[in-house]
Amino acid sequence: QSALTQPASVSGSVGQSITISCTGTSSDIGTYNYVSWYQQHPGKAPKLMIYDVNNRPSGVSNRFSGSKSGNTASLTISGLQAEDEADYYCSSHTSSSTLYVFGTGTKVTVL
Amino acid sequence: QVQLQESGPGLVKPSETLSLICTVSGGSISSYYWSWIRQPPGKGLEWIGYNYYSGSANYNPSLKSRVTISVDSSRNQFSLKLSSVTAADTAVYYCARNGGSYSFDYWGQGTLVTVSS
C-alpha cells in the first residue's frame, strides 16, 4: 500500500486561504469517506483536525475545512494565521490489509 | 480529558526487542481500539497496529511478523513489542486512540527509540 500523495509544501500570506491536496486511489479515498487530517508542529504529536472528510472535532477552528472529489481529498485553511505553520498529514481507511494509509505530508509556511 | 503517555527505553540494540507501554488517563481503556504509530526522523507517519481491550488485534502487514500489541485493562495500559529490530526501526513512536471513523483522536507526546549498538 503506497502512501497518499500530498504536495511537499504550500505557502500563503496571513489572512489568505490555502488548500492542500491528498491523492489516493479507488482502494482508499475513492471508496471511503474516512479521510482525516492531522496538524503537526515541530517536535509535537499530530493533532486531529478533520475526520470523515469534513467533520471538525470539538475545539478545532472553523477556519479548517475538508472536502473530497473522486480519489482526491482536500484540506482548506482560510484566514491563514501564523500558528497554522506546521506539517499536515492526510489519512484514509483502505481496503488493503494495511487498514490505514497516511499521506506524504505537506509543510505549510505562513509568509 | 483523555491523556496518553508513552514510556520505555530510548535505545535498543539491533536484533533485540523494542518494548513500549502507553498509559491512558482520564478515561477507560475499554470500548476503544488503541494504536501504535511511528515516524522515522524527518519522515511521515506509519500505522503499526491496534488492539481492543477484549483482544482483537490487527497489524500492518509490513510489520506483522514482528509486532505484538497487548491491552491491560486492569492497569489502563497497552503495550507494543517489536522484535528483531534494525536501524530502520529508529523512529518516534506514538500511541493513539482510535476515535472511530478510522481516525486517531488522542495521541501521546511520542517517544524516540533509537536502534544502535
Side-chain angles (χ1 to χ4, degrees), chain A residues 55-100:
Chain A
N55 290 282
R56 282 186 308 277
S58 174
V60 172
S61 171
N62 58 10
R63 297 186 298 104
F64 292 84
S65 61
S67 62
K68 188 188 89 166
S69 178
N71 294 339
T72 299
S74 298
L75 174 72
T76 297
I77 309 174
S78 58
L80 199 61
Q81 298 181 2
E83 60 261 35
D84 299 332
E85 187 162 291
D87 293 327
Y88 291 81
Y89 291 91
C90 60
S91 178
S92 175
H93 172 52
T94 169
S95 59
S96 80
S97 51
T98 308
L99 293 186
Y100 300 86

Side-chain angles (χ1 to χ4, degrees), chain A residues 12-73:
Chain A
S13 300
V14 172
Q16 285 187 330
S17 293
I18 62 169
T19 297
I20 303 168
S21 62
C22 171
T23 302
T25 69
S26 57
S27 296
D28 38 68
I29 294 176
T31 295
Y32 303 102
N33 289 324
Y34 294 135
V35 178
S36 50
W37 289 89
Y38 303 88
Q39 176 192 65
Q40 186 178 35
H41 286 109
K44 301 295 186 181
K47 174 187 176 183
L48 178 64
M49 305 301 285
I50 296 286
Y51 67 96
D52 290 358
V53 176
N54 57 11
N55 290 282
R56 282 186 308 277
S58 174
V60 172
S61 171
N62 58 10
R63 297 186 298 104
F64 292 84
S65 61
S67 62
K68 188 188 89 166
S69 178
N71 294 339
T72 299

